[in-house]
Amino acid sequence: MLDLSTVRPASASAFERAKTVIPGGVNSPARAFGGVGGNPLFIARADGPFLYDLDGNRYLDFIGSWGPMILGHCHPAVVEATIAAVKNGSSYGAPCELETRLAEMVIDAVPSVQMVRFVSSGTEATMSAIRLARGFTGRDNVVKFAGCYHGHVDSLLVSAGSSALTLGVPNSPGVPVGCTQDTSVLRFNDVAALAELFAAKGDKIAGVILEPIVGNMGLVPPTAEFRSELRRLTQKYGAILIYDEVMTGFRLGYGGAQVMLGDSPDLTCFGKVLGGGYPVGAYGGRADIMKKIMPAGPVFQAGTLSGNPVAMAAGIATLNELKVNPPYARLEEQSNRIGVGLLKAAASVNVPVQFNRVGSMWTLFFTDTPVTDLDTAKTCDTKRFGRFFWEMMDRGVYLPCSQFEAAFTCAAMTAEHIAQATQAGVESLKAVA
Ligand SMILES: *Cc1c(COP(=O)(O)O)cnc(C)c1O
């Protein structure tokens, strides 16, 4: 690994300065490169598929702000719409029609969503959806799956116990046991464990939350049987099925993972792409459930900046572009091309890898074991991933700085960019062999 402090001195000194006033120098821990070693880049600006760091280096960006920037940075339609919105005032604390417009667009895109409530982050969306599921059913227990991330909601910050049916144990100091004692953690794709839990206490389960296609342990797709059992059991026991599509919504297709898969959850959480790079989250679903939210119903949830007009304008412009000029077929083809190139290169230098991909979301796992859940994801050689990450960085390709994250191809990437990234991957795999 190259020493960042000599290779990228401006980023290194900016990081030192930030660390004196911001814990760890970052405002979200994933940005700190803990999974790969070394210091994070400080970004000066972004444009199209590129990030530019303080030292003047340019990178092909396969993170896209961890999901939102599916159109690439500074898409003209989004820039124009947000500037126009800012000039009309940046926050009213009163309703405006932009909120209704974006709500109509979400409902039009996702058939299972009949009503939607906007918030300011994905975390707020999942937190509120859980509260609503509990308020609607009058039950407390919530089921989640190991390796799925739903933001930093207390009740969902639970690690996988070795025994899937044991009570959840908080994995962050500051989360009281009381906050997680009603959370059960199961293994993703484990149909038997799911059936066992419902048989034992199905009538106490308020809801089940999952990433229908997981991005947050690296890319892991669900089996068809797992999805159909989830729907069947939640329906049978009257539990609310919550799809957390904060990452997959409007990314795996205009209708997200659920339309791609043909699924119909009761509630869905959104964020990331929906805000087009601005702080937006949302939760929506069946009208009979959504009408329980205050002021229509008794379940409290509020937000000073919820439905912020500038963020709504960015979301409307982003969704409009995705609907009018759908990039999904091209993103699929380009992401597949990267995978084919990386798999071939890895085989030729005898580096065991798995390439998991759905649409524009993909992960190159450094393991010879097929990755279907958190346990198999953990078989990866994370040291080798770290070396690969820095080799790619030195070739101008910015990947997520952890083995357990999904990379994103964006619509601003041309065939030439994809070829460059693939070539960088071929060389980097050779370097880490
Ligand atoms: C990013 C993410 C969240 C949290 O969203 P924030 O806006 O970071 O709070 C929740 N769920 C999933 C699936 C995510 O990918």
Side-chain angles (χ1 to χ4, degrees), residues 120-314:
S120 299
S121 70
T123 294
E124 258 189 281
T126 58
M127 178 183 77
S128 308
I130 293 291
R131 183 182 303 148
L132 177 57
R134 286 171 162 164
F136 180 80
T137 59
R139 306 172 182 176
D140 290 337
N141 202 264
V142 168
V143 182
K144 77 169 291 273
F145 298 91
C148 286
Y149 176 68
H150 305 293
H152 64 95
V153 179
D154 278 346
S155 66
L156 299 175
L157 267 187
V158 192
S159 65
S162 53
S163 164
L165 288 175
T166 51
L167 285 180
V169 175
N171 65 357
S172 168
V175 178
V177 172
C179 284
T180 56
Q181 68 193 10
D182 295 314
T183 307
S184 301
V185 185
L186 299 180
R187 187 209 301 257
F188 195 77
N189 276 329
D190 189 339
V191 173
L194 186 68
E196 200 178 314
L197 182 70
F198 268 93
K201 58 170 183 181
D203 59 348
K204 295 190 172 61
I205 295 173
V208 180
I209 187 166
L210 72 152
E211 299 179 67
I213 291 169
V214 190
N216 283 297
M217 53 177 137
L219 194 282
V220 175
T223 65
E225 192 195 3
F226 181 61
R227 284 167 32 235
S228 71
E229 278 299 280
L230 275 166
R231 185 64 282 186
R232 188 182 71 80
L233 288 166
T234 47
Q235 232 147 26
K236 176 175 172 189
Y237 287 93
I240 305 301
L241 181 59
I242 306 169
Y243 271 19
D244 180 353
E245 295 226 43
V246 170
M247 187 182 284
T248 53
F250 304 97
R251 168 166 291 282
L252 292 181
Y254 193 60
Q258 60 189 267
V259 167
M260 168 186 257
L261 297 167
D263 291 355
S264 193
D266 302 305
L267 293 177
T268 303
C269 302
F270 301 96
K272 297 192 171 130
V273 171
L274 177 63
Y278 289 78
V280 176
Y283 60 110
R286 276 168 41 193
D288 61 323
I289 306 176
M290 293 301 291
K291 283 181 177 163
K292 297 291 182 205
I293 302 166
M294 199 167 275
V299 177
F300 189 80
Q301 185 268 307
T304 302
L305 291 175
S306 294
N308 172 268
V310 181
M312 294 293 104

